[in-house]
Amino acid sequence: MWQKAHPIWLRIGIVKSWFSERHSKGKQQNADFFVEDIKLRDFIEEFYPRSGISRVVIRKTNKEGEIIIFASKVWVIMGKDGTKIQELEDKIAKKFGKTFKISIKAIKVPELSAKIMAEHIATQLEGRMPFRKIAKQVLGQVMDKGAVGIKIKVGGRLWGVDIARKETFNQGRVPLQTLRADIDYCSLQAHTKYGVLGVKVWIAKWEIFAKKS
């Protein structure tokens, strides 16, 4: 069987930075922080289901922390007069016993975010839209915004057939083995009438080169 590496984690420290920054004391505390980060991200995803969140960056110490949410729909995340942010801060403090300051940063080009486009595809699939039509629309939208390439893979009981299969759609080039290539990736599920469909999206933005001294 093939051994496949995660496109984002493979490039951590090369062209991408960590999504979690923490100051811990000892291996056990670092492990506890790691589990807490996963629970925090799951809690935020449940609080904002498919709300155009691209990524969540967590910075924390023993007693407090900061959460930065990168999103395309800032008004949805903020709520009226920032009420949803305050509600989220209160719920996190009650659940995790820590005070987290939450800030929102807007994404200028949401079409270049793999997570946002994967959520769009999953929402359309759940609305019984044809998967080939959705994939071709997304390919055009992403390439029009200046991407180098995009790959979409949809798997499951497509069209409600009895035998599950996979369909792959490509446009441009997605160099997964080039470490200097800035590639965004997301994998999630679409819950349809016929079952669960898997959606994977790779978006190659550009290549990052070190500055010459």
Side-chain angles (χ1 to χ4, degrees), residues 99-111:
T99 302
F100 285 90
K101 180 183 177 182
I102 301 176
S103 58
I104 313 297
K105 289 190 177 182
I107 296 178
K108 296 181 180 179
V109 188
E111 288 82 4

Side-chain angles (χ1 to χ4, degrees), residues 33 36 40 58-68 85-103:
F33 279 179
E36 190 178 62
L40 272 169
I58 301 174
R59 300 170 180 170
K60 63 183 178 181
T61 58
N62 294 333
K63 298 181 180 180
E64 59 184 8
E66 180 186 8
I67 298 175
I68 305 174
I85 288 294
Q86 187 61 44
E87 182 184 355
L88 179 60
E89 288 180 351
D90 295 340
K91 287 188 175 182
I92 289 177
K94 183 178 180 181
K95 182 177 178 63
F96 296 94
K98 289 183 180 179
T99 302
F100 285 90
K101 180 183 177 182
I102 301 176
S103 58

Side-chain angles (χ1 to χ4, degrees), residues 4 17 27 34 36 38 72 118 147 155 183 188-189 211-212:
K4 296 185 179 180
S17 59
K27 294 182 179 179
F34 175 76
E36 190 178 62
I38 296 175
S72 60
I183 295 177
L188 49 81
Q189 295 178 342
K211 294 183 180 179
K212 295 182 179 180

Side-chain angles (χ1 to χ4, degrees), residues 106-120:
I107 296 178
K108 296 181 180 179
V109 188
E111 288 82 4
L112 295 181
S113 172
K115 186 173 183 297
I116 293 176
M117 300 314 295
E119 286 181 353
H120 172 70

Side-chain angles (χ1 to χ4, degrees), residues 3 7 10 13 17-18 24 46 53 56 58 77 81 86 90 94 108-109 121 126 139 144 183 188 193 203 205 208:
Q3 301 292 328
L10 182 65
S17 59
W18 294 96
S24 57
E46 291 176 2
I53 295 177
V56 177
I58 301 174
I77 307 299
D81 299 329
Q86 187 61 44
D90 295 340
K94 183 178 180 181
K108 296 181 180 179
V109 188
I121 295 172
E126 291 173 352
L139 290 177
D144 290 343
I183 295 177
L188 49 81
K193 177 182 177 182
I203 297 178
K205 302 176 184 179
I208 299 176

